[in-house]
Amino acid sequence: MIHFKACLFSHLEGSNLLSLEVSKEFRTLPKEKLAIAIPASIVSDTPHLREKTFKIGLIGRAAAVFRVNEIIIFMDRPRQKQEKELKLISTILAYMETPQYLRRKLFKLTPELRYAGILPPLRTPHHPLTDKSEDLRIGEIREAMVVSTAEKGVFVDVGVEKPVFIPEARLKIGRRVTVKIIQRNGILKASLTKPEETGEYWGYIVKAYRLGLGQILKKRKFELKIATSRYGKPLREILKQLRRKWRTAKSVLVIFGSPREGLYEIAEQEGLSIDEIVDFVVNTIPKQGTKTVRTEEAIFASLALFNFLLRT
Amino acid sequence: MIHFKACLFSHLEGSNLLSLEVSKEFRTLPKEKLAIAIPASIVSDTPHLREKTFKIGLIGRAAAVFRVNEIIIFMDRPRQKQEKELKLISTILAYMETPQYLRRKLFKLTPELRYAGILPPLRTPHHPLTDKSEDLRIGEIREAMVVSTAEKGVFVDVGVEKPVFIPEARLKIGRRVTVKIIQRNGILKASLTKPEETGEYWGYIVKAYRLGLGQILKKRKFELKIATSRYGKPLREILKQLRRKWRTAKSVLVIFGSPREGLYEIAEQEGLSIDEIVDFVVNTIPKQGTKTVRTEEAIFASLALFNFLLRT
């Protein structure tokens, strides 16, 4: 039995999770789960929404290129309310992750999405380009949304011109699910499935917390937590240890600082030392030519290194 | 004797080099020279100048973060005139590389620079933030532009409120030079110097060619030429060979494809095989989660890997 969660962008009252359940909270994650954590202020030094959108788009792309399963957004400025930034970043990231044919159905065109048109496509396996029912293959797995209910099942939109019937399913209209095509002739039919079955990278979930990094790390367990910082240990020094840990860890979190403040400063504001709340603080860009490396730049650089050095 | 070249953005008639001598063509380059080559069509899939500008800005940032000394832009669509793209990309990259205090003096505000305001600062050592003469230090090296000539030397703008005198120099007004402060009291004085003397990363030069990649590689000699491609050999397989070659090479060129066409297709259009015109074709992103990796993404990922694996 697979659970599905319905709420789209509802603020869960009394909770610190700014919920973005457009994505798949209850899905089983792949065996090696890779998450990244980014601060809410990543776009605070970019005045216009248009460039903010572009920058968030880069982060979504980086996540997809390097098969990230979850993006966590944390509050890094305890004295400011960062709700607006949390909502902006999480909405755009979740929108990008949604296949094109479901976007308008699952998202209201809120002000955050004003410049969504400039977002680059993810081009992941779960964003298929075919849109004709005759091109569907038996066994093909697609993201879908429930569009109507019947006595003996539900109809879903899988991005072709006709709805697809899922026998025996009971789901609310508007739910996003993953389905496998089981019949092409006559009435189109599909069954519910899990993204893991595809064996392919199937997008990321987004979680925006109304919490600082330290508080999140108390609530969420990761077997390996890596902070990236210019003042961290050189990657070369800790590579062996890191590799040993990564190979056995079922969940890995890689944490990035903001353009203005590194993770040492961000943790300090919570009265914490970053060295104590993560397993490694690492500098992945020896001899950087610039004084600072921006978050989106650090994500591409660090994930490229981890992808090559630790995941293959 | 250091040579300086005056022309700003003049098309050299009869030459295939779309000249961008705002930067320092005749400067001696550092011992290990790192160049990257990018196709003119990198921004062709981005409709608006504003996002084109942002994307080119990312490439300038990547070059600075990873201490790239030269950016070469080549024509990848032989059937199209790509002059406009060549000019756009090279103008923005050269503008970014110029210290803020010299930009308005060295660049006319041409249409290409309409959105230059959104470009991120490079934050390299040659873009100092101090702008008061009292904060200048003896021995400090700064980028400067000749603002007036005198009988016994020239005056340059080094980004402070007063001009600085260079005794015995004979240079035309408008030239960009690198100078070392030699006197702070009374009249400010400096001498001409080379960026190499700083021992720090000192920006990149930009060269836009009205030529295909194959033609450029006939004219320009690099001791090590690396093409990046999804269809290249896995980096792990060739890492040892690559490292051996990189360690002894005095000049390295890393070549990137466009968002629509990889380097195999680009070389084919010139009737060439990419395998034959470079030393290595390498895939730096094993198991990429997306169908394509964009040029600016590939630059960050590949240079991060080469920086870590080959340069330290």
Side-chain angles (χ1 to χ4, degrees), chain A residues 48 50-51 54 61 64-65 67 122-123 236 286-287 289-292 297 307-308 312, chain B residues 48 50-51 54 61 64-65 67 122-123 236 286-287 289-292 297 300 307-308:
Chain A
H48 200 285
R50 192 155 161 166
E51 280 75 42
F54 198 99
R61 282 282 309 167
V65 168
R67 294 170 288 131
L122 282 195
R123 314 252 359 236
R236 189 163 303 288
K287 296 187 192 165
T290 56
K291 197 164 179 221
T292 49
E297 299 167 350
N307 183 54
F308 175 73
T312 56
Chain B
H48 199 283
R50 192 154 161 170
E51 280 76 42
F54 198 99
R61 282 282 309 168
V65 168
R67 294 170 289 131
L122 283 195
R123 314 244 10 227
R236 189 162 303 285
K287 298 186 192 166
T290 56
K291 195 162 181 222
T292 49
E297 298 167 350
F300 271 104
N307 183 54
F308 175 74

mmCIF file of all heavy atoms in Angstrom, chain A residues 48 50-51 54 61 64-65 67 122-123 236 286-287 289-292 297 307-308 312, chain B residues 48 50-51 54 61 64-65 67 122-123 236 286-287 289-292 297 300 307-308:
data_model
loop_
_atom_site.group_PDB
_atom_site.id
_atom_site.type_symbol
_atom_site.label_atom_id
_atom_site.label_comp_id
_atom_site.label_asym_id
_atom_site.label_seq_id
_atom_site.Cartn_x
_atom_site.Cartn_y
_atom_site.Cartn_z
ATOM 1 N N HIS A 48 15.822 41.346 -8.074
ATOM 2 C CA HIS A 48 14.621 41.133 -8.889
ATOM 3 C C HIS A 48 14.166 39.677 -8.924
ATOM 4 O O HIS A 48 14.980 38.772 -9.011
ATOM 5 C CB HIS A 48 14.893 41.636 -10.304
ATOM 6 C CG HIS A 48 13.641 41.906 -11.068
ATOM 7 N ND1 HIS A 48 12.862 40.899 -11.578
ATOM 8 C CD2 HIS A 48 13.005 43.057 -11.383
ATOM 9 C CE1 HIS A 48 11.811 41.428 -12.197
ATOM 10 N NE2 HIS A 48 11.882 42.737 -12.088
ATOM 11 N N ARG A 50 12.947 38.038 -11.202
ATOM 12 C CA ARG A 50 13.336 37.335 -12.425
ATOM 13 C C ARG A 50 14.682 36.624 -12.259
ATOM 14 O O ARG A 50 14.838 35.462 -12.612
ATOM 15 C CB ARG A 50 13.396 38.359 -13.549
ATOM 16 C CG ARG A 50 13.501 37.766 -14.892
ATOM 17 C CD ARG A 50 12.956 38.747 -15.892
ATOM 18 N NE ARG A 50 13.449 38.395 -17.210
ATOM 19 C CZ ARG A 50 12.949 38.890 -18.324
ATOM 20 N NH1 ARG A 50 11.970 39.766 -18.284
ATOM 21 N NH2 ARG A 50 13.446 38.524 -19.479
ATOM 22 N N GLU A 51 15.650 37.321 -11.687
ATOM 23 C CA GLU A 51 16.949 36.682 -11.457
ATOM 24 C C GLU A 51 16.885 35.699 -10.287
ATOM 25 O O GLU A 51 17.600 34.711 -10.268
ATOM 26 C CB GLU A 51 18.051 37.717 -11.214
ATOM 27 C CG GLU A 51 18.571 38.348 -12.494
ATOM 28 C CD GLU A 51 17.603 39.361 -13.081
ATOM 29 O OE1 GLU A 51 17.038 40.152 -12.291
ATOM 30 O OE2 GLU A 51 17.390 39.365 -14.296
ATOM 31 N N PHE A 54 15.722 32.564 -11.848
ATOM 32 C CA PHE A 54 16.786 31.933 -12.629
ATOM 33 C C PHE A 54 17.761 31.178 -11.713
ATOM 34 O O PHE A 54 18.176 30.063 -11.990
ATOM 35 C CB PHE A 54 17.538 33.021 -13.405
ATOM 36 C CG PHE A 54 18.356 32.488 -14.553
ATOM 37 C CD1 PHE A 54 17.862 32.537 -15.845
ATOM 38 C CD2 PHE A 54 19.610 31.949 -14.347
ATOM 39 C CE1 PHE A 54 18.623 32.050 -16.908
ATOM 40 C CE2 PHE A 54 20.370 31.465 -15.397
ATOM 41 C CZ PHE A 54 19.874 31.518 -16.687
ATOM 42 N N ARG A 61 18.202 22.444 -11.328
ATOM 43 C CA ARG A 61 18.971 21.730 -12.349
ATOM 44 C C ARG A 61 20.112 20.932 -11.723
ATOM 45 O O ARG A 61 20.322 19.767 -12.040
ATOM 46 C CB ARG A 61 19.562 22.726 -13.357
ATOM 47 C CG ARG A 61 18.581 23.253 -14.386
ATOM 48 C CD ARG A 61 18.310 22.274 -15.509
ATOM 49 N NE ARG A 61 19.536 21.764 -16.104
ATOM 50 C CZ ARG A 61 19.586 20.724 -16.930
ATOM 51 N NH1 ARG A 61 18.489 20.088 -17.273
ATOM 52 N NH2 ARG A 61 20.740 20.307 -17.415
ATOM 53 N N ALA A 64 18.887 17.829 -10.149
ATOM 54 C CA ALA A 64 18.512 16.790 -11.105
ATOM 55 C C ALA A 64 19.746 16.182 -11.779
ATOM 56 O O ALA A 64 19.846 14.966 -11.915
ATOM 57 C CB ALA A 64 17.562 17.355 -12.150
ATOM 58 N N VAL A 65 20.692 17.020 -12.182
ATOM 59 C CA VAL A 65 21.899 16.506 -12.838
ATOM 60 C C VAL A 65 22.603 15.493 -11.928
ATOM 61 O O VAL A 65 23.048 14.439 -12.378
ATOM 62 C CB VAL A 65 22.872 17.657 -13.211
ATOM 63 C CG1 VAL A 65 24.244 17.110 -13.620
ATOM 64 C CG2 VAL A 65 22.297 18.524 -14.329
ATOM 65 N N ARG A 67 21.251 13.825 -9.332
ATOM 66 C CA ARG A 67 20.324 12.853 -8.749
ATOM 67 C C ARG A 67 20.096 13.064 -7.248
ATOM 68 O O ARG A 67 20.196 12.138 -6.449
ATOM 69 C CB ARG A 67 20.829 11.429 -9.032
ATOM 70 C CG ARG A 67 20.808 11.084 -10.523
ATOM 71 C CD ARG A 67 21.528 9.778 -10.814
ATOM 72 N NE ARG A 67 22.970 9.938 -10.676
ATOM 73 C CZ ARG A 67 23.762 9.131 -9.988
ATOM 74 N NH1 ARG A 67 23.283 8.083 -9.372
ATOM 75 N NH2 ARG A 67 25.049 9.371 -9.920
ATOM 76 N N LEU A 122 13.975 20.291 -16.798
ATOM 77 C CA LEU A 122 14.878 19.376 -16.088
ATOM 78 C C LEU A 122 15.417 18.276 -16.999
ATOM 79 O O LEU A 122 16.529 17.814 -16.808
ATOM 80 C CB LEU A 122 14.174 18.723 -14.899
ATOM 81 C CG LEU A 122 14.004 19.535 -13.626
ATOM 82 C CD1 LEU A 122 13.641 18.615 -12.476
ATOM 83 C CD2 LEU A 122 15.259 20.323 -13.256
ATOM 84 N N ARG A 123 14.596 17.845 -17.973
ATOM 85 C CA ARG A 123 14.979 16.757 -18.887
ATOM 86 C C ARG A 123 15.362 15.480 -18.157
ATOM 87 O O ARG A 123 16.289 14.768 -18.536
ATOM 88 C CB ARG A 123 16.136 17.201 -19.809
ATOM 89 C CG ARG A 123 15.928 18.569 -20.411
ATOM 90 C CD ARG A 123 15.603 18.664 -21.856
ATOM 91 N NE ARG A 123 15.512 17.492 -22.654
ATOM 92 C CZ ARG A 123 16.219 17.300 -23.756
ATOM 93 N NH1 ARG A 123 17.108 18.191 -24.137
ATOM 94 N NH2 ARG A 123 16.032 16.227 -24.485
ATOM 95 N N ARG A 236 40.922 16.645 0.003
ATOM 96 C CA ARG A 236 41.936 15.602 -0.128
ATOM 97 C C ARG A 236 42.288 14.958 1.216
ATOM 98 O O ARG A 236 42.471 13.749 1.308
ATOM 99 C CB ARG A 236 43.201 16.178 -0.797
ATOM 100 C CG ARG A 236 44.215 15.119 -1.179
ATOM 101 C CD ARG A 236 45.252 15.616 -2.175
ATOM 102 N NE ARG A 236 44.696 16.123 -3.405
ATOM 103 C CZ ARG A 236 44.150 15.360 -4.367
ATOM 104 N NH1 ARG A 236 44.095 14.059 -4.217
ATOM 105 N NH2 ARG A 236 43.679 15.902 -5.451
ATOM 106 N N PRO A 286 39.767 23.976 -3.612
ATOM 107 C CA PRO A 286 41.065 24.482 -3.185
ATOM 108 C C PRO A 286 41.506 25.637 -4.078
ATOM 109 O O PRO A 286 41.256 25.612 -5.289
ATOM 110 C CB PRO A 286 41.993 23.275 -3.331
ATOM 111 C CG PRO A 286 41.278 22.299 -4.222
ATOM 112 C CD PRO A 286 39.821 22.572 -4.057
ATOM 113 N N LYS A 287 42.148 26.615 -3.481
ATOM 114 C CA LYS A 287 42.687 27.771 -4.218
ATOM 115 C C LYS A 287 41.652 28.503 -5.059
ATOM 116 O O LYS A 287 41.928 28.862 -6.213
ATOM 117 C CB LYS A 287 43.846 27.323 -5.131
ATOM 118 C CG LYS A 287 45.034 26.777 -4.375
ATOM 119 C CD LYS A 287 46.170 26.521 -5.330
ATOM 120 C CE LYS A 287 47.272 25.715 -4.674
ATOM 121 N NZ LYS A 287 48.219 25.158 -5.630
ATOM 122 N N GLY A 289 39.652 31.191 -6.960
ATOM 123 C CA GLY A 289 40.146 32.462 -7.499
ATOM 124 C C GLY A 289 39.358 33.669 -7.032
ATOM 125 O O GLY A 289 39.798 34.809 -7.178
ATOM 126 N N THR A 290 38.185 33.448 -6.469
ATOM 127 C CA THR A 290 37.305 34.532 -6.042
ATOM 128 C C THR A 290 37.166 34.509 -4.529
ATOM 129 O O THR A 290 37.361 33.472 -3.895
ATOM 130 C CB THR A 290 35.906 34.358 -6.655
ATOM 131 O OG1 THR A 290 35.418 33.060 -6.292
ATOM 132 C CG2 THR A 290 35.944 34.456 -8.170
ATOM 133 N N LYS A 291 36.813 35.656 -3.955
ATOM 134 C CA LYS A 291 36.722 35.710 -2.506
ATOM 135 C C LYS A 291 35.618 34.783 -1.987
ATOM 136 O O LYS A 291 35.783 34.121 -0.970
ATOM 137 C CB LYS A 291 36.462 37.151 -2.048
ATOM 138 C CG LYS A 291 36.773 37.289 -0.580
ATOM 139 C CD LYS A 291 36.917 38.716 -0.122
ATOM 140 C CE LYS A 291 37.206 38.708 1.368
ATOM 141 N NZ LYS A 291 36.497 39.758 2.079
ATOM 142 N N THR A 292 34.495 34.782 -2.674
ATOM 143 C CA THR A 292 33.393 33.920 -2.239
ATOM 144 C C THR A 292 32.921 33.060 -3.407
ATOM 145 O O THR A 292 33.124 33.393 -4.568
ATOM 146 C CB THR A 292 32.188 34.767 -1.766
ATOM 147 O OG1 THR A 292 31.924 35.758 -2.758
ATOM 148 C CG2 THR A 292 32.465 35.441 -0.454
ATOM 149 N N GLU A 297 26.818 27.954 -7.254
ATOM 150 C CA GLU A 297 28.110 27.542 -7.807
ATOM 151 C C GLU A 297 28.706 26.406 -6.978
ATOM 152 O O GLU A 297 29.219 25.415 -7.515
ATOM 153 C CB GLU A 297 29.068 28.730 -7.812
ATOM 154 C CG GLU A 297 28.581 29.897 -8.666
ATOM 155 C CD GLU A 297 29.349 31.199 -8.444
ATOM 156 O OE1 GLU A 297 30.160 31.284 -7.491
ATOM 157 O OE2 GLU A 297 29.118 32.148 -9.222
ATOM 158 N N ASN A 307 29.846 13.209 -6.697
ATOM 159 C CA ASN A 307 29.322 12.269 -7.688
ATOM 160 C C ASN A 307 30.449 11.410 -8.262
ATOM 161 O O ASN A 307 30.341 10.206 -8.367
ATOM 162 C CB ASN A 307 28.638 13.051 -8.817
ATOM 163 C CG ASN A 307 27.996 12.153 -9.860
ATOM 164 O OD1 ASN A 307 27.193 11.289 -9.530
ATOM 165 N ND2 ASN A 307 28.354 12.342 -11.122
ATOM 166 N N PHE A 308 31.541 12.073 -8.580
ATOM 167 C CA PHE A 308 32.656 11.338 -9.186
ATOM 168 C C PHE A 308 33.455 10.536 -8.149
ATOM 169 O O PHE A 308 33.799 9.386 -8.364
ATOM 170 C CB PHE A 308 33.594 12.304 -9.915
ATOM 171 C CG PHE A 308 34.815 11.627 -10.456
ATOM 172 C CD1 PHE A 308 34.732 10.803 -11.564
ATOM 173 C CD2 PHE A 308 36.052 11.791 -9.839
ATOM 174 C CE1 PHE A 308 35.847 10.146 -12.051
ATOM 175 C CE2 PHE A 308 37.176 11.139 -10.323
ATOM 176 C CZ PHE A 308 37.069 10.320 -11.429
ATOM 177 N N THR A 312 30.681 6.574 -7.513
ATOM 178 C CA THR A 312 30.920 5.660 -8.646
ATOM 179 C C THR A 312 31.980 4.628 -8.295
ATOM 180 O O THR A 312 32.650 4.749 -7.293
ATOM 181 C CB THR A 312 31.370 6.441 -9.898
ATOM 182 O OG1 THR A 312 32.526 7.213 -9.554
ATOM 183 C CG2 THR A 312 30.280 7.317 -10.412
ATOM 184 N N HIS B 48 15.611 35.810 -24.098
ATOM 185 C CA HIS B 48 15.734 37.207 -23.677
ATOM 186 C C HIS B 48 17.161 37.576 -23.279
ATOM 187 O O HIS B 48 17.857 36.800 -22.636
ATOM 188 C CB HIS B 48 14.776 37.463 -22.513
ATOM 189 C CG HIS B 48 14.487 38.923 -22.320
ATOM 190 N ND1 HIS B 48 15.376 39.769 -21.720
ATOM 191 C CD2 HIS B 48 13.416 39.677 -22.664
ATOM 192 C CE1 HIS B 48 14.853 40.996 -21.683
ATOM 193 N NE2 HIS B 48 13.665 40.956 -22.251
ATOM 194 N N ARG B 50 18.171 39.453 -21.062
ATOM 195 C CA ARG B 50 18.386 39.487 -19.622
ATOM 196 C C ARG B 50 18.884 38.135 -19.094
ATOM 197 O O ARG B 50 19.845 38.066 -18.330
ATOM 198 C CB ARG B 50 17.061 39.851 -18.968
ATOM 199 C CG ARG B 50 17.190 40.189 -17.535
ATOM 200 C CD ARG B 50 16.070 41.114 -17.157
ATOM 201 N NE ARG B 50 15.908 41.091 -15.720
ATOM 202 C CZ ARG B 50 15.144 41.937 -15.062
ATOM 203 N NH1 ARG B 50 14.467 42.855 -15.712
ATOM 204 N NH2 ARG B 50 15.055 41.866 -13.766
ATOM 205 N N GLU B 51 18.253 37.043 -19.558
ATOM 206 C CA GLU B 51 18.725 35.717 -19.133
ATOM 207 C C GLU B 51 20.020 35.325 -19.841
ATOM 208 O O GLU B 51 20.837 34.603 -19.284
ATOM 209 C CB GLU B 51 17.656 34.647 -19.362
ATOM 210 C CG GLU B 51 16.596 34.626 -18.272
ATOM 211 C CD GLU B 51 15.602 35.764 -18.403
ATOM 212 O OE1 GLU B 51 15.179 36.057 -19.535
ATOM 213 O OE2 GLU B 51 15.266 36.390 -17.371
ATOM 214 N N PHE B 54 22.651 36.837 -17.725
ATOM 215 C CA PHE B 54 22.828 36.080 -16.481
ATOM 216 C C PHE B 54 23.662 34.823 -16.727
ATOM 217 O O PHE B 54 24.564 34.486 -15.970
ATOM 218 C CB PHE B 54 21.451 35.695 -15.931
ATOM 219 C CG PHE B 54 21.465 35.307 -14.482
ATOM 220 C CD1 PHE B 54 21.088 36.213 -13.506
ATOM 221 C CD2 PHE B 54 21.840 34.031 -14.093
ATOM 222 C CE1 PHE B 54 21.091 35.847 -12.160
ATOM 223 C CE2 PHE B 54 21.842 33.668 -12.757
ATOM 224 C CZ PHE B 54 21.464 34.579 -11.792
ATOM 225 N N ARG B 61 31.889 33.901 -13.899
ATOM 226 C CA ARG B 61 32.113 33.505 -12.502
ATOM 227 C C ARG B 61 32.881 32.180 -12.426
ATOM 228 O O ARG B 61 33.840 32.046 -11.666
ATOM 229 C CB ARG B 61 30.767 33.348 -11.776
ATOM 230 C CG ARG B 61 30.121 34.645 -11.352
ATOM 231 C CD ARG B 61 30.747 35.238 -10.107
ATOM 232 N NE ARG B 61 30.829 34.284 -9.030
ATOM 233 C CZ ARG B 61 31.533 34.479 -7.914
ATOM 234 N NH1 ARG B 61 32.205 35.600 -7.731
ATOM 235 N NH2 ARG B 61 31.578 33.559 -6.979
ATOM 236 N N ALA B 64 36.465 32.646 -13.108
ATOM 237 C CA ALA B 64 37.205 33.285 -12.018
ATOM 238 C C ALA B 64 37.372 32.339 -10.824
ATOM 239 O O ALA B 64 38.456 32.250 -10.242
ATOM 240 C CB ALA B 64 36.501 34.574 -11.592
ATOM 241 N N VAL B 65 36.312 31.633 -10.464
ATOM 242 C CA VAL B 65 36.399 30.704 -9.322
ATOM 243 C C VAL B 65 37.520 29.690 -9.563
ATOM 244 O O VAL B 65 38.297 29.380 -8.656
ATOM 245 C CB VAL B 65 35.051 29.972 -9.095
ATOM 246 C CG1 VAL B 65 35.212 28.812 -8.112
ATOM 247 C CG2 VAL B 65 33.976 30.934 -8.597
ATOM 248 N N ARG B 67 40.109 29.961 -11.705
ATOM 249 C CA ARG B 67 41.344 30.581 -12.173
ATOM 250 C C ARG B 67 41.660 30.295 -13.643
ATOM 251 O O ARG B 67 42.766 29.889 -13.996
ATOM 252 C CB ARG B 67 42.505 30.147 -11.276
ATOM 253 C CG ARG B 67 42.378 30.679 -9.842
ATOM 254 C CD ARG B 67 43.395 30.058 -8.904
ATOM 255 N NE ARG B 67 43.069 28.668 -8.633
ATOM 256 C CZ ARG B 67 43.903 27.651 -8.715
ATOM 257 N NH1 ARG B 67 45.154 27.867 -9.050
ATOM 258 N NH2 ARG B 67 43.506 26.427 -8.457
ATOM 259 N N LEU B 122 32.892 39.677 -9.637
ATOM 260 C CA LEU B 122 33.823 38.545 -9.650
ATOM 261 C C LEU B 122 34.487 38.315 -8.300
ATOM 262 O O LEU B 122 34.795 37.199 -7.942
ATOM 263 C CB LEU B 122 34.923 38.754 -10.698
ATOM 264 C CG LEU B 122 34.572 38.520 -12.164
ATOM 265 C CD1 LEU B 122 35.856 38.418 -12.990
ATOM 266 C CD2 LEU B 122 33.751 37.249 -12.365
ATOM 267 N N ARG B 123 34.705 39.388 -7.549
ATOM 268 C CA ARG B 123 35.386 39.306 -6.252
ATOM 269 C C ARG B 123 36.761 38.641 -6.327
ATOM 270 O O ARG B 123 37.155 37.871 -5.457
ATOM 271 C CB ARG B 123 34.502 38.589 -5.217
ATOM 272 C CG ARG B 123 33.083 39.086 -5.242
ATOM 273 C CD ARG B 123 32.567 39.762 -4.014
ATOM 274 N NE ARG B 123 33.456 40.109 -2.972
ATOM 275 C CZ ARG B 123 33.226 39.854 -1.695
ATOM 276 N NH1 ARG B 123 32.153 39.197 -1.345
ATOM 277 N NH2 ARG B 123 34.050 40.265 -0.772
ATOM 278 N N ARG B 236 37.257 8.409 -14.800
ATOM 279 C CA ARG B 236 38.025 7.465 -13.989
ATOM 280 C C ARG B 236 38.996 6.640 -14.844
ATOM 281 O O ARG B 236 40.127 6.382 -14.439
ATOM 282 C CB ARG B 236 37.075 6.536 -13.217
ATOM 283 C CG ARG B 236 37.788 5.677 -12.178
ATOM 284 C CD ARG B 236 36.853 5.092 -11.146
ATOM 285 N NE ARG B 236 36.067 6.066 -10.429
ATOM 286 C CZ ARG B 236 36.544 6.864 -9.472
ATOM 287 N NH1 ARG B 236 37.815 6.811 -9.124
ATOM 288 N NH2 ARG B 236 35.747 7.713 -8.865
ATOM 289 N N PRO B 286 29.441 11.081 -14.493
ATOM 290 C CA PRO B 286 28.892 9.736 -14.641
ATOM 291 C C PRO B 286 27.463 9.690 -14.117
ATOM 292 O O PRO B 286 27.141 10.343 -13.130
ATOM 293 C CB PRO B 286 29.830 8.860 -13.806
ATOM 294 C CG PRO B 286 30.592 9.791 -12.922
ATOM 295 C CD PRO B 286 30.611 11.116 -13.610
ATOM 296 N N LYS B 287 26.634 8.914 -14.801
ATOM 297 C CA LYS B 287 25.236 8.710 -14.388
ATOM 298 C C LYS B 287 24.454 10.004 -14.207
ATOM 299 O O LYS B 287 23.719 10.162 -13.224
ATOM 300 C CB LYS B 287 25.177 7.931 -13.066
ATOM 301 C CG LYS B 287 25.766 6.533 -13.156
ATOM 302 C CD LYS B 287 25.528 5.792 -11.859
ATOM 303 C CE LYS B 287 26.343 4.510 -11.805
ATOM 304 N NZ LYS B 287 26.395 3.945 -10.462
ATOM 305 N N GLY B 289 21.660 12.665 -14.094
ATOM 306 C CA GLY B 289 20.228 12.445 -13.907
ATOM 307 C C GLY B 289 19.366 13.080 -14.985
ATOM 308 O O GLY B 289 18.182 12.775 -15.094
ATOM 309 N N THR B 290 19.939 13.966 -15.776
ATOM 310 C CA THR B 290 19.196 14.688 -16.805
ATOM 311 C C THR B 290 19.722 14.298 -18.186
ATOM 312 O O THR B 290 20.862 13.846 -18.307
ATOM 313 C CB THR B 290 19.387 16.205 -16.641
ATOM 314 O OG1 THR B 290 20.796 16.484 -16.660
ATOM 315 C CG2 THR B 290 18.825 16.699 -15.328
ATOM 316 N N LYS B 291 18.877 14.491 -19.187
ATOM 317 C CA LYS B 291 19.299 14.060 -20.526
ATOM 318 C C LYS B 291 20.499 14.876 -21.009
ATOM 319 O O LYS B 291 21.416 14.346 -21.620
ATOM 320 C CB LYS B 291 18.137 14.207 -21.512
ATOM 321 C CG LYS B 291 18.422 13.449 -22.779
ATOM 322 C CD LYS B 291 17.205 13.173 -23.619
ATOM 323 C CE LYS B 291 17.638 12.380 -24.839
ATOM 324 N NZ LYS B 291 16.975 12.836 -26.059
ATOM 325 N N THR B 292 20.463 16.169 -20.754
ATOM 326 C CA THR B 292 21.577 17.012 -21.177
ATOM 327 C C THR B 292 22.098 17.817 -19.992
ATOM 328 O O THR B 292 21.387 18.046 -19.022
ATOM 329 C CB THR B 292 21.132 18.015 -22.265
ATOM 330 O OG1 THR B 292 19.935 18.642 -21.803
ATOM 331 C CG2 THR B 292 20.856 17.326 -23.574
ATOM 332 N N GLU B 297 26.650 24.643 -16.713
ATOM 333 C CA GLU B 297 26.657 23.612 -15.674
ATOM 334 C C GLU B 297 27.884 22.710 -15.831
ATOM 335 O O GLU B 297 28.560 22.384 -14.854
ATOM 336 C CB GLU B 297 25.385 22.768 -15.791
ATOM 337 C CG GLU B 297 24.113 23.574 -15.581
ATOM 338 C CD GLU B 297 22.831 22.848 -15.996
ATOM 339 O OE1 GLU B 297 22.912 21.776 -16.621
ATOM 340 O OE2 GLU B 297 21.743 23.368 -15.698
ATOM 341 N N PHE B 300 31.128 24.434 -14.545
ATOM 342 C CA PHE B 300 31.324 24.345 -13.091
ATOM 343 C C PHE B 300 31.717 22.928 -12.665
ATOM 344 O O PHE B 300 32.643 22.725 -11.893
ATOM 345 C CB PHE B 300 30.065 24.782 -12.320
ATOM 346 C CG PHE B 300 30.043 26.259 -12.046
ATOM 347 C CD1 PHE B 300 29.228 27.108 -12.777
ATOM 348 C CD2 PHE B 300 30.863 26.812 -11.071
ATOM 349 C CE1 PHE B 300 29.226 28.479 -12.544
ATOM 350 C CE2 PHE B 300 30.866 28.171 -10.831
ATOM 351 C CZ PHE B 300 30.043 29.010 -11.566
ATOM 352 N N ASN B 307 40.133 20.981 -11.128
ATOM 353 C CA ASN B 307 40.794 21.772 -10.087
ATOM 354 C C ASN B 307 41.239 20.883 -8.937
ATOM 355 O O ASN B 307 42.356 20.972 -8.446
ATOM 356 C CB ASN B 307 39.826 22.847 -9.576
ATOM 357 C CG ASN B 307 40.444 23.774 -8.552
ATOM 358 O OD1 ASN B 307 41.496 24.368 -8.802
ATOM 359 N ND2 ASN B 307 39.820 23.911 -7.396
ATOM 360 N N PHE B 308 40.352 19.998 -8.540
ATOM 361 C CA PHE B 308 40.666 19.134 -7.401
ATOM 362 C C PHE B 308 41.611 17.999 -7.787
ATOM 363 O O PHE B 308 42.556 17.700 -7.073
ATOM 364 C CB PHE B 308 39.382 18.554 -6.803
ATOM 365 C CG PHE B 308 39.649 17.572 -5.706
ATOM 366 C CD1 PHE B 308 40.074 18.001 -4.464
ATOM 367 C CD2 PHE B 308 39.504 16.210 -5.933
ATOM 368 C CE1 PHE B 308 40.350 17.094 -3.456
ATOM 369 C CE2 PHE B 308 39.779 15.295 -4.926
ATOM 370 C CZ PHE B 308 40.205 15.739 -3.684
#
